[in-house]
C-alpha cells in the first residue's frame, strides 16, 4: 500500500533509465544519505564509529570492487587482499616520496597502481577460468605478501616492516577525529558507489555481464573478451586498491602486510557471495553482515549460553563465528546464489503487491 | 516478392574444417547473394552449424577463403565478422541469462558505442546521450518483434519460444547486413513457427537483410528460402532453388537412405 508505483508514468527513456525509477526509493535513499551524513555523526559514539562504521564503509568499497570482477564479470578472484595492499603501499610511497603531493592524489595514484597490477594478474583470465583463475589470483596474494615483507624499499626501510602515516589533510581539512574519518570514508564511498552503478548500467557493464553469462555469444556480437576482462580487472582493482589506501591511511594509520593477508581476500569474497553476486546493493549488505556478525555473536552467544547454564568462552565465540560463516556460505551457495540482495528484491516485489497479492 | 536479389555478397571457396581426425567440412564452396534467403539443410551432423561457425569466425577452417563484399578473409574472427555486419542467433539459445530483455538487446548495440569507460562511469554527456539513442533503437526492435510486455523481464525467466525471439532481437539490434540463423524454429509449436517465419520474412523484406538459415522443417525451408545448400557428412551434395534440390536424387538418398 505504501510502496506502490501506481501513477508514476515514465514519458522518456531518460526517466525510465534512472538509478531509482520508483519515487519511494528515491526518497528513501535521500533520507538514508541525510541520516548517514548528518544523523550518525550526532548520535553515535566514537567506539561505534571506529569499530564498526568506518570498517564497514571501507570494506563495502572493497566488496564493491570485488563484486565488479566476480559478480559482474564472472572472473573469480582470491587476490583482493593483495590489491588492497598494493593500493595502500603505493599510496604510502607516493605520499612520503613526493613532497607536497595532495593526499587525494596519492590515494588515487595508489588506486591506479593497484589497477595496473590488477591488469597484470588478470592476464591469465584470458586463458583460464573458474578454479584455475582463482589459483592464479591467489599467486598475486602470496607475491604481494612477500614483496611488502621482504623488499625494504616499499616500506621506506622500516625495520619492523610496519609503516605509519599521520597528520592527514585533505583540501585543508584535518582528518583527525573518528567523525572526520567517518565522513571522509562515507563521502568517498558514495562517489565510488555512484561510479560503479553508472558503469554497470552502461555499455561497459553490459560487456562484463555478457562475458560472465555467455562468452561465445558475447564475442559474436563484437565484444572483445580481452578488453572486457582486463577492464573489469582494472576497475575492480582500482576500487579495491583505494579501499586499501583508506584502510591503511584512515582506519589503521599504521599497518603491516598482515593487514592485507589472504584472510582478507577470503573475507571479501564471502561478503560478495553472501551479499549478492552482481548487485551493487549486495556489496553493502555483505559488508554489513560480515562486519556486524562477529560483534553480534560476541554479545549474543554468551547470553544465550547463560540461558542454559553453559558458559561460552571468548575462544568459543570466535570458533562459533567461523562455524556460522561456513554454514551461511554453504546455505547461500545452495539456496540463494544471489545472496541477501535477492532476498531484498523479493521482499520489495512482495511489498509492491501487498496487501492484495493477486 | 518485391525485393531485388543483388550481387554475391558472401562467397565461400573450398572451405575445409577438421577437428583432429574428424572432418567436419570437406571442400565446400557456395555463395550468398545480397537480400536473399539462403538455407543450409542436411541430416544431423552434416556440418551445418560448423558452416555458420566458419562464416562468423568462431571456427577457423584449415583451408579455404571467405570473401565478404570482395574482401578476402582466410581466417575470420568473431570480432571482425561482427564489425563487417554479420550477426547470428544460436541453436541452443545463447542469451545473457542474468540480464533483462532490454539489456540483452543493448549488448547488440555494443559495436556502435563510442563513449569510453570514464565517460560512462560519470554518466557524462556523450555516454548518456548514446545510451538514450541506443535505447530508442532497441525499442524499435522490441516493437518489431512484439515483445513489449517482457522488456524488463530477465531472459532466464522467459519461455523457450520467447527466448528464441529475444535471441533474434539481439542479432537484429546489431542492424546486420547478413543474419545467420541457426535453427530458429527448433522446438517450437506451429503457431510460434508461423510467427518466426513472419519475422524472418519481414526482416528480409523491410530491412533488405541477407539471411543464411539452417532449418530442419522442410516445409518452412522450401517455402521461405530462395536457394538451398544441402550438406551431408561435411560435403556439399546439392545447391539450387528449392524445387531443384527437392528433385535431386543425391539429396533424396541422403534424407531417405539408399536402397542397397
Amino acid at each position: 500500500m505504501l510502496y506502490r508505483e501506481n501513477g508514476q508514468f515514465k514519458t522518456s527513456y531518460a526517466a525510465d533509465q534512472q538509478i531509482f525509477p520508483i519515487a519511494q526509493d528515491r526518497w528513501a535513499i535521500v533520507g538514508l544519505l541525510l541520516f548517514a551524513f548528518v544523523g550518525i555523526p550526532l548520535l553515535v559514539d566514537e567506539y561505534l564509529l571506529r569499530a564498526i562504521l568506518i570498517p564497514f564503509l571501507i570494506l563495502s568499497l572493497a566488496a564493491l570492487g570485488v563484486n565488479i570482477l566476480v559478480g559482474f564479470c564472472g572472473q573469480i578472484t582470491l587476490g583482493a587482499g593483495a590489491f588492497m595492499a598494493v593500493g595502500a603501499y603505493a599510496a604510502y610511497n607516493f605520499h612520503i616520496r613526493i613532497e607536497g603531493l595532495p593526499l587525494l592524489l596519492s590515494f588515487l595514484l595508489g588506486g591506479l597502481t593497484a589497477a595496473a597490477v590488477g591488469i597484470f594478474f588478470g592476464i591469465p583470465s584470458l586463458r583460464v577460468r573458474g578454479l584455475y583463475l582463482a589459483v592464479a589470483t591467489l599467486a598475486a596474494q602470496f607475491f604481494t605478501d612477500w614483496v611488502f615483507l621482504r623488499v625494504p624499499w616499499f616500506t621506506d626501510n622500516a625495520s619492523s616492516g610496519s609503516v605509519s602515516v599521520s597528520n592527514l589533510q585533505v583540501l585543508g581539512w584535518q582528518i583527525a577525529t573518528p567523525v572526520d574519518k567517518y565522513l571522509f570514508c562515507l563521502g568517498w564511498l558514495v562517489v565510488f558507489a555512484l561510479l560503479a552503478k553508472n558503469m554497470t548500467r552502461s555499455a561497459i557493464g553490459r560487456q562484463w555481464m555478457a562475458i560472465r553469462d555467455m562468452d561465445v555469444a558475447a564475442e559474436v556480437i563484437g565484444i572483445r573478451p580481452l578488453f572486457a576482462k582486463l577492464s573489469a580487472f582494472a576497475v575492480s582493482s582500482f576500487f579495491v586498491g583505494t579501499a586499501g589506501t583508506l584502510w591503511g591511511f584512515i582506519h589503521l594509520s599504521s599497518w603491516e602486510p598482515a593487514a592485507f593477508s589472504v584472510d582478507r581476500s577470503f573475507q571479501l569474497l564471502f561478503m560478495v557471495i553472501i551479499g549478492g553476486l552482481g548487485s551493487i546493493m549486495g556489496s553493502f549488505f555483505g559488508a554489513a553482515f560480515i562486519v556486524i556478525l562477529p560483534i553480534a555473536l560476541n554479545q549474543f552467544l554468551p547470553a544465550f549460553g547463560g540461558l542454559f547454564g553453559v558458559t561460552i568462552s571468548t575462544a568459543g565465540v570466535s570458533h562459533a563465528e567461523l562455524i556460522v560463516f561456513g554454514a551461511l556460505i554453504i546455505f547461500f551457495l545452495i539456496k540463494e546464489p544471489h545472496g541477501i540482495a535477492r532476498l531484498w528484491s523479493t521482499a520489495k516485489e512482495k511489498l509492491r503487491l501487498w496487501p492484495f497479492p493477486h | 516478392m518485391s525485393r531485388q536479389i543483388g550481387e554475391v555478397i558472401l562467397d565461400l571457396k573450398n572451405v575445409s574444417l577438421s577437428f583432429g581426425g574428424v572432418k567436419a567440412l570437406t571442400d565446400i564452396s557456395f555463395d550468398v547473394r545480397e537480400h536473399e534467403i539462403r538455407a543450409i539443410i542436411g541430416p544431423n551432423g552434416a556440418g551445418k552449424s560448423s558452416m555458420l561457425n566458419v562464416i562468423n569466425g568462431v571456427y577457423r577452417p584449415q583451408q579455404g577463403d571467405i570473401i565478404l563484399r570482395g574482401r578476402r578473409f582466410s581466417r575470420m574472427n568473431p570480432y571482425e565478422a561482427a564489425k563487417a555486419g554479420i550477426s547470428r542467433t544460436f541453436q541452443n539459445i545463447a542469451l545473457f541469462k542474468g540480464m533483462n530483455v532490454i539489456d540483452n538487446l543493448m549488448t547488440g548495440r555494443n559495436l556502435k558505442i563510442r563513449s569510453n569507460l570514464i565517460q560512462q562511469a560519470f554518466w557524462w554527456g556523450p555516454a548518456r546521450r548514446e545510451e538514450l539513442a541506443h535505447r530508442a533503437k532497441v525499442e524499435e526492435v522490441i516493437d518489431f518483434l512484439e515483445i513489449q510486455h517482457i522488456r524488463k523481464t530477465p531472459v532466464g525467466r522467459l519461455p523457450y519460444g520467447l527466448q528464441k525471439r529475444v535471441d533474434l532481437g539481439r542479432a537484429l539490434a546489431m542492424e546486420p547486413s547478413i543474419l545467420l540463423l541457426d535453427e530458429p524454429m527448433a522446438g517450437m509449436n506451429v503457431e510460434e513457427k508461423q510467427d518466426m517465419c513472419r519475422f524472418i520474412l519481414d526482416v528480409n523484406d523491410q530491412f533488405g537483410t541477407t539471411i543464411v538459415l539452417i532449418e530442419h522443417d522442410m516445409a518452412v525451408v522450401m517455402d521461405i528460402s530462395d536457394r538451398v545448400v544441402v550438406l551431408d557428412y561435411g560435403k556439399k551434395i546439392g545447391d539450387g532453388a528449392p524445387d531443384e534440390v527437392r528433385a535431386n536424387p543425391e539429396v533424396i538418398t541422403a534424407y531417405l537412405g539408399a536402397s542397397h
Side-chain angles (χ1 to χ4, degrees):
Chain A
M1 240 170 354
L2 298 168
Y3 186 67
R4 280 279 163 90
E5 61 208 78
N6 292 6
Q8 299 178 23
F9 299 112
K10 305 289 187 298
T11 51
S12 69
Y13 295 133
D16 195 39
Q17 285 175 332
Q18 50 192 330
I19 299 179
F20 299 105
I22 299 175
Q24 285 91 328
D25 283 346
R26 284 199 291 280
W27 288 112
I29 205 77
V30 168
L32 187 70
L33 284 178
L34 269 179
F35 179 69
F37 274 105
V38 182
I40 285 183
L42 293 175
L43 296 173
V44 168
D45 65 358
E46 282 202 2
Y47 167 77
L48 209 59
L49 284 175
R50 255 206 300 259
I52 298 184
L53 288 171
I54 294 174
F56 160 69
L57 292 175
I58 300 174
L59 292 178
S60 297
L61 178 63
L64 206 54
V66 175
N67 213 339
I68 285 175
L69 189 59
V70 183
F72 284 96
C73 197
Q75 310 298 310
I76 197 153
T77 173
L78 286 175
F83 301 129
M84 278 181 88
V86 171
Y89 280 101
Y92 172 75
N93 279 296
F94 283 115
H95 182 64
I96 56 160
R97 283 172 207 281
I98 303 175
E99 203 64 41
L101 187 72
L103 193 63
L104 274 183
L105 207 55
S106 32
F107 282 12
L108 291 176
L109 285 170
L112 286 176
T113 314
V117 177
I119 291 175
F120 178 74
F121 282 101
I123 291 172
S125 72
L126 304 175
R127 280 305 174 93
V128 296
R129 59 179 101 179
L131 271 181
Y132 301 97
L133 180 61
V135 172
T137 54
L138 200 56
Q141 183 68 51
F142 290 118
F143 179 71
T144 54
D145 276 0
W146 177 83
V147 163
F148 295 128
L149 211 54
R150 299 284 171 223
V151 183
W153 187 84
F154 287 110
T155 51
D156 197 25
N157 303 311
S159 52
S160 61
S162 116
V163 299
S164 60
V165 289
S166 56
N167 192 21
L168 301 175
Q169 256 186 348
V170 174
L171 308 171
W173 172 28
Q174 189 83 25
I175 300 178
T177 67
V179 171
D180 292 335
K181 292 179 173 183
Y182 165 80
L183 285 175
F184 180 78
C185 292
L186 182 64
W188 189 279
L189 177 65
V190 167
V191 171
F192 274 70
L194 188 64
L195 295 182
K197 182 67 200 174
N198 281 341
M199 280 189 269
T200 55
R201 69 184 172 138
S202 52
I204 186 73
R206 287 192 297 269
Q207 291 193 13
W208 295 337
M209 290 186 274
I211 289 285
R212 171 195 70 189
D213 285 348
M214 190 66 75
D215 49 359
V216 178
E219 247 188 297
V220 164
I221 55 175
I223 291 170
R224 283 165 300 172
L226 178 101
F227 178 77
K229 285 178 180 172
L230 292 187
S231 65
F233 266 97
V235 171
S236 161
S237 309
F238 182 76
F239 275 58
V240 174
T242 55
T245 62
L246 293 184
W247 192 259
F249 278 63
I250 308 281
H251 179 52
L252 300 175
S253 67
S254 127
W255 71 94
E256 50 195 39
F260 307 105
S261 65
V262 70
D263 288 350
R264 180 71 65 208
S265 299
F266 279 115
Q267 193 191 33
L268 288 170
L269 195 62
F270 294 163
M271 281 180 190
V272 173
I273 292 172
I274 290 180
L277 287 165
S279 156
I280 301 285
M281 194 71 117
S283 317
F284 294 102
F285 286 141
F289 194 82
I290 286 202
V291 171
I292 291 166
L293 185 74
I295 294 164
L297 282 180
N298 247 324
Q299 302 291 330
F300 169 77
L301 261 191
F304 185 72
L307 283 181
F308 301 98
V310 186
T311 338
I312 296 173
S313 64
T314 332
V317 172
S318 64
H319 290 155
E321 198 183 296
L322 293 176
I323 295 169
V324 173
F325 271 151
L328 278 170
I329 284 160
I330 294 171
F331 170 79
F332 274 107
L333 283 178
I334 295 172
K335 281 290 174 195
E336 192 52 272
H338 296 283
I340 301 175
R342 175 57 62 83
L343 297 177
W344 173 257
S345 66
T346 316
K348 272 187 14 177
E349 292 283 316
K350 292 219 163 115
L351 191 61
R352 271 155 87 174
L353 299 176
W354 183 84
F356 304 113
H358 294 293
Chain B
M1 258 179 246
S2 58
R3 73 209 155 81
Q4 285 280 304
I5 291 184
E7 298 291 300
V8 170
I9 182 172
L10 174 69
D11 197 0
L12 294 142
K13 288 212 161 125
N14 311 98
V15 172
S16 296
L17 172 75
S18 59
F19 301 103
V22 183
K23 285 190 171 168
L25 298 170
T26 317
D27 199 28
I28 292 190
S29 308
F30 69 94
D31 60 18
V32 179
R33 299 217 180 101
E34 201 161 9
H35 307 313
E36 82 174 334
I37 298 182
R38 186 76 149 122
I40 304 177
I41 61 171
N44 286 329
K48 306 182 296 294
S49 291
S50 298
M51 197 69 240
L52 285 201
N53 282 331
V54 165
I55 295 177
N56 79 340
V58 176
Y59 291 161
R60 298 182 167 183
Q62 278 78 19
Q63 275 169 40
D65 288 322
I66 302 163
I67 299 162
L68 183 64
R69 285 195 203 85
R71 237 181 101 195
R72 178 181 295 267
F73 296 85
S74 62
R75 312 187 112 196
M76 192 64 120
N77 71 53
Y79 182 71
E80 284 293 321
K83 275 218 306 205
I86 300 180
S87 76
R88 72 172 288 181
T89 67
F90 293 83
Q91 184 175 358
N92 28 19
I93 307 164
L95 286 170
F96 307 126
K97 294 248 178 333
M99 298 154 82
N100 66 19
V101 172
I102 291 178
D103 282 341
N104 264 280
L105 300 196
M106 286 291 274
T107 57
R109 309 291 301 172
N110 182 56
L111 276 176
K112 301 188 193 307
I113 284 180
R114 294 281 156 268
S115 63
N116 61 36
L117 197 153
I118 307 287
Q119 290 168 326
Q120 290 171 20
F122 286 94
W123 204 244
W124 194 333
R128 185 169 170 279
R129 274 197 301 280
E130 261 190 338
E131 197 74 9
L132 296 178
H134 289 302
R135 171 72 189 273
K137 277 283 179 196
V138 159
E139 290 289 340
E140 283 173 23
V141 175
I142 287 178
D143 286 345
F144 178 81
L145 293 175
E146 298 158 16
I147 48 176
Q148 294 91 339
H149 58 297
I150 52 163
R151 56 157 79 81
K152 291 204 174 153
T153 315
V155 293
R157 282 196 217 160
L158 295 174
Y160 179 82
L162 282 177
Q163 290 198 13
K164 279 280 203 195
R165 214 186 280 185
V166 176
D167 197 7
L168 176 63
R170 186 179 61 189
L172 287 179
M174 291 174 70
E175 298 180 74
S177 54
I178 302 178
L179 179 59
L180 314 177
L181 303 174
D182 197 346
E183 302 203 19
M185 280 158 249
M188 287 185 161
N189 63 29
V190 176
E191 205 177 324
E192 287 169 331
K193 277 187 188 180
Q194 284 170 345
D195 279 343
M196 191 53 92
C197 279
R198 182 162 56 88
F199 292 132
I200 293 171
L201 289 170
D202 280 352
V203 169
N204 182 246
D205 205 36
Q206 290 181 19
F207 311 134
T209 311
T210 309
I211 291 173
V212 180
L213 133 126
I214 294 177
E215 186 47 55
H216 274 301
D217 188 323
M218 280 310 129
V220 169
V221 170
M222 297 302 166
D223 252 11
I224 70 173
S225 49
D226 297 303
R227 288 190 303 155
V228 182
V229 176
V230 191
L231 302 183
D232 191 22
Y233 292 113
K235 296 196 178 79
K236 187 168 97 169
I237 58 171
D239 190 354
D243 288 331
E244 292 169 37
V245 166
R246 196 164 13 202
N248 183 330
E250 257 192 278
V251 174
I252 296 171
T253 319
Y255 266 90
L256 301 179
S259 54
H260 293 289

